[in-house]
Amino acid sequence: HIVSHITDIGHPAARAAEVLAIALLVAGVTRITIMGYISDRLGSLPTLLLFSVIQTATVAVFVLVDNLIGLYLIGIIFGIGYGGILPLYPVVLRDHLSSRGIGQRTAVVIFFGGIGMAVGGWLGGFLFDYSGGYLLAFMAGVAANAVNLAIIGILLLRLWSVRRALV
């Protein structure tokens, strides 16, 4: 809903599409450059938390900024967070589960991620139709990301407590 939101606040559709295109370009570059580098140094789960925090924060900020330069900057930062999340799920699974059945586990995680994104797109449109603006839609995105952050946080706490118990 980034393009629709940006056009609704008065910017031309071409500029709104540029914000989205830049975000997606940065996401792609992030996937093939810094995501692996950071994951190799911090670990897959802490890196997933980092990129998820970036995505959550920028989704929240999109509705607060209305100038075009700010939207481009948010798009760039959002792209960094967005680019690092989905590719990290298989890495997290590989790092924390046995290799037996890893293909099926990865498929299940990616499948439910896709369902979440599909429902999120539909829900955003529904909330826009209900409220006449994108504030509720973006806040629903923040809420969904907050659930993701809580799950990652619980997994990290569990991992750290297991590691502490082994020492």
Side-chain angles (χ1 to χ4, degrees):
H1 300 284
I2 290 172
V3 172
S4 298
H5 168 65
I6 293 172
T7 57
D8 282 359
I9 60 174
H11 297 290
R15 299 298 76 79
E18 285 174 356
V19 171
L20 180 59
I22 288 169
L24 294 175
L25 175 67
V26 170
V29 170
T30 296
R31 286 180 181 145
I32 60 175
T33 59
I34 65 171
M35 187 219 50
Y37 179 83
I38 294 171
S39 180
D40 289 346
R41 275 131 194 91
L42 297 181
S44 57
L45 208 48
T47 304
L48 181 60
L49 179 68
L50 172 67
F51 284 109
S52 295
V53 165
I54 293 169
Q55 178 176 281
T56 303
T58 53
V59 168
V61 174
F62 258 117
V63 294
L64 302 175
V65 174
D66 60 2
N67 71 69
L68 199 53
I69 292 172
L71 291 165
Y72 282 119
L73 291 172
I74 294 165
I76 290 167
I77 298 167
F78 172 80
I80 293 168
Y82 178 74
I85 293 176
L86 192 60
L88 275 166
Y89 288 133
V91 180
V92 169
L93 292 169
R94 181 207 63 203
D95 288 351
H96 299 284
L97 299 173
S98 73
S99 61
R100 185 179 176 113
I102 199 72
Q104 183 178 13
R105 291 178 182 139
T106 302
V108 168
V109 168
I110 300 300
F111 173 75
F112 281 104
I115 288 176
M117 287 184 274
V119 169
W122 171 84
L123 181 61
F126 175 82
L127 292 172
F128 173 83
D129 290 344
Y130 174 77
S131 67
Y134 280 103
L135 179 63
L136 287 177
F138 278 82
M139 291 305 105
V142 170
N145 277 284
V147 170
N148 181 52
L149 289 172
I151 292 168
I152 297 167
I154 290 167
L155 292 172
L156 274 170
L157 288 173
R158 183 171 177 256
L159 177 65
W160 290 333
S161 67
V162 167
R163 285 184 181 165
R164 221 176 305 136
L166 293 175
V167 174

